């Protein structure tokens, strides 16, 4: 029974801390903004110069290389598209962070391609932003497993002391 008590307390201790997930998301947003700033300032010109040597991938948009060439040769358009990308990026993360405030079952997580079009700015955002839905789903599943483990330990401890299962969870003081 002591093991159950310690396990329950360990689970409760881990669960009482706020989620680090919001900090991780905000960190990724900061990195993406930094990369976009470098793109706006011409930091990707070297990268764009090699765009024609990138291997074709299955499902690649045939117009992508033309877009790269335009961005490489037209700095004013690169600035405009970097601003567009920043707007798309900010809207994506604003919606993602707002959804994180909701209970898991009410969330409708955005994907970056929901905010874009066929522009270079949209392509940049799609390359920079990971699909958060899978990471968030796994994080929440792990947290739920920890909650279930705490409940299981509390029920086992109750059974140890009283020789029967509790009639309801209020009996185990969760």
């Amino acid at each position: 029974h002591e093991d159950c008590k310690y396990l329950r307390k360990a689970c409760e201790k881990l669960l009482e801390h706020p989620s680090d997930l919001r900090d991780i998301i905000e960190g990724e947003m900061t990195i993406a903004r930094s990369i976009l700033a470098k793109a706006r300032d011409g930091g990707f010109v070297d990268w764009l110069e090699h765009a024609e040597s990138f291997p074709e991938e299955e499902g690649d948009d045939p117009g992508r290389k033309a877009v790269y060439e335009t961005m490489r040769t037209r700095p004013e358009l690169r600035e405009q598209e970097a601003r567009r990308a920043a707007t798309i990026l900010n809207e994506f993360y604003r919606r993602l962070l707002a959804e994180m405030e909701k209970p898991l079952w009410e969330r409708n997580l955005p994907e970056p391609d929901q905010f874009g079009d066929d522009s270079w700015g949209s392509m940049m955002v799609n390359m920079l932003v990971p699909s958060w839905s899978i990471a968030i789903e796994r994080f929440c599943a792990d947290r739920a497993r920890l909650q279930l483990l705490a409940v299981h330990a509390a029920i086992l401890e109750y059974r140890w002391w009283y020789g029967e299962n509790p009639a309801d969870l209020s009996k185990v003081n969760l």
Side-chain angles (χ1 to χ4, degrees):
H1 78 280
E2 288 297 311
D3 290 343
C4 293
K5 183 167 90 176
Y6 292 131
L7 179 59
R8 176 181 169 187
K9 294 293 180 193
C11 290
E12 289 172 351
K13 191 83 168 156
L14 288 169
L15 290 167
E16 74 186 22
H17 295 290
S19 163
D20 294 333
L21 192 55
R22 185 177 186 88
D23 292 339
I24 293 168
I25 292 170
E26 288 173 348
E28 284 286 332
M29 179 177 61
T30 300
I31 291 168
R33 284 177 175 164
S34 171
I35 291 170
L36 283 179
K38 287 180 182 177
R40 182 189 61 238
D41 297 338
F44 281 159
V45 171
D46 291 338
W47 180 75
L48 290 168
E49 286 178 355
H50 300 293
E52 61 274 356
S53 66
F54 292 163
E56 290 289 329
E57 295 179 14
E58 188 175 329
D60 248 3
D61 179 0
R64 182 178 290 188
K65 286 185 180 181
V67 171
Y68 289 155
E69 178 63 19
T70 303
M71 290 300 105
R72 186 180 66 76
T73 58
R74 298 200 38 215
E76 74 284 354
L77 193 55
R78 190 170 55 241
E79 170 70 28
Q80 175 186 333
E81 288 299 311
R83 281 195 307 271
R84 180 189 310 224
T87 300
I88 294 168
L89 184 77
N90 289 335
E91 177 61 15
F92 169 78
Y93 277 108
R94 185 196 65 75
R95 287 242 342 257
L96 179 62
L97 291 170
E99 289 296 317
M100 293 303 297
E101 297 298 320
K102 297 177 183 178
L104 178 62
W105 57 91
E106 291 179 7
R107 292 179 187 163
N108 183 17
L109 299 176
E111 291 295 332
D113 59 357
Q114 291 176 321
F115 299 94
D117 47 32
D118 291 334
S119 67
W120 182 79
S122 292
M123 283 193 277
M124 283 295 296
V125 172
N126 286 328
M127 288 189 307
L128 291 172
V129 176
S131 177
W132 283 103
S133 57
I134 295 169
I136 291 169
E137 182 180 307
R138 288 183 180 155
F139 177 85
C140 292
D142 286 347
R143 196 156 174 87
R145 280 191 281 277
L146 194 55
Q147 291 168 330
L148 286 172
L149 183 59
V151 170
H152 181 69
I155 290 170
L156 288 176
E157 183 181 11
Y158 183 94
R159 192 182 313 156
W160 175 266
W161 286 109
Y162 299 103
E164 63 185 19
N165 287 327
D168 57 62
L169 291 180
S170 67
K171 302 288 187 202
V172 294
N173 299 319
L174 288 176

